[in-house]
Amino acid sequence: HELLAIEIMCLALLKFNDSDELIPFKKSLINTIHDEQKHLSLYIKRIQSLGYEFGDFPLNDYFWAQSSKIETPAQFSAMMSLTFEAANLDFSHHYMNEFKKIGDIETAQVMKIVFDDEINHVHLGLHFMNSWKQRKKIWDYYIENLIFPLTPARSKGIYYQRQFRVMAGFDEEYIGSLETFDDGYKITNRKKCTT
């Protein structure tokens, strides 16, 4: 997923125009790509240390399939930052703790680096969405730019944690809307965590 994120972010650099308005957005994408390259490198080194190679495990094209529908920077940010990376706040933190529980401190440290960077990535996406939304509420603007079949439900990991959204800069209204959102699909094992 880190390699997919790198590729999709590079596509965004090429796809969107070079207007002065988008220069800060594109600079932030370049910085985020550097972080994603760091994550990919950490993952590759870790799986190699465990006796595997990059490519030994199957991948899917879900990120790419969603990216093919993106036409604007706001749609990109809604998908990548406020949905996929927001979900990874929950997943990376959860797996960090799971690796700690089994004594795999090295992998837990990798997940901590990923988690810390994801907070910043989600915050940057939120920053740009706020700068583009004009007088709309951020939740409404997010929904407007999220392309079906993605829904806000996809932005929450199985072990959803509210405080990570606070850390990333979301307001209480947005968080409340996210928590009460129901797209009709139930994930029966989704749990709220407080740790």
Side-chain angles (χ1 to χ4, degrees), residues 28-147:
S28 78
L29 268 183
I30 291 168
N31 290 331
T32 302
I33 289 167
H34 288 299
D35 287 343
E36 303 296 355
Q37 289 171 321
K38 174 180 67 178
H39 301 167
L40 178 60
S41 177
L42 288 168
Y43 284 142
I44 289 172
K45 287 177 185 173
R46 187 64 187 127
I47 65 171
Q48 286 174 336
S49 73
L50 295 169
Y52 298 95
E53 291 296 329
F54 181 73
D56 284 349
F57 303 99
L59 303 173
N60 70 56
D61 65 351
Y62 186 79
F63 281 17
W64 265 119
Q66 303 313 308
S67 299
S68 67
K69 304 164 189 169
I70 299 300
E71 296 296 331
T72 68
Q75 289 173 344
F76 173 85
S77 296
M79 177 195 70
M80 185 60 75
S81 302
L82 274 62
T83 303
F84 294 149
E85 291 184 303
N88 205 30
L89 296 175
D90 302 319
F91 286 116
S92 60
H93 191 270
H94 169 73
Y95 286 113
M96 176 187 72
N97 287 332
E98 291 299 306
F99 285 119
K100 283 180 183 176
K101 285 179 190 174
I102 64 168
D104 186 348
I105 302 306
E106 189 173 345
T107 305
Q109 290 171 337
V110 169
M111 299 312 300
K112 174 75 165 94
I113 291 167
V114 171
F115 171 78
D116 289 343
D117 287 344
E118 292 291 30
I119 291 285
N120 187 50
H121 298 171
V122 175
H123 176 77
L124 282 170
L126 176 61
H127 165 77
F128 287 107
M129 292 290 279
N130 274 320
S131 73
W132 298 325
K133 70 179 177 64
Q134 298 177 343
R135 296 185 177 188
K136 297 176 183 174
K137 293 181 178 181
I138 188 61
W139 175 260
D140 295 338
Y141 191 63
Y142 169 58
I143 295 295
E144 175 185 314
N145 283 284
L146 197 58
I147 298 175

Side-chain angles (χ1 to χ4, degrees), residues 177-190:
S177 295
L178 178 62
E179 291 177 344
T180 59
F181 179 82
D182 182 2
D183 63 4
Y185 295 97
K186 299 296 182 192
I187 299 176
T188 56
N189 60 344
R190 178 172 282 144

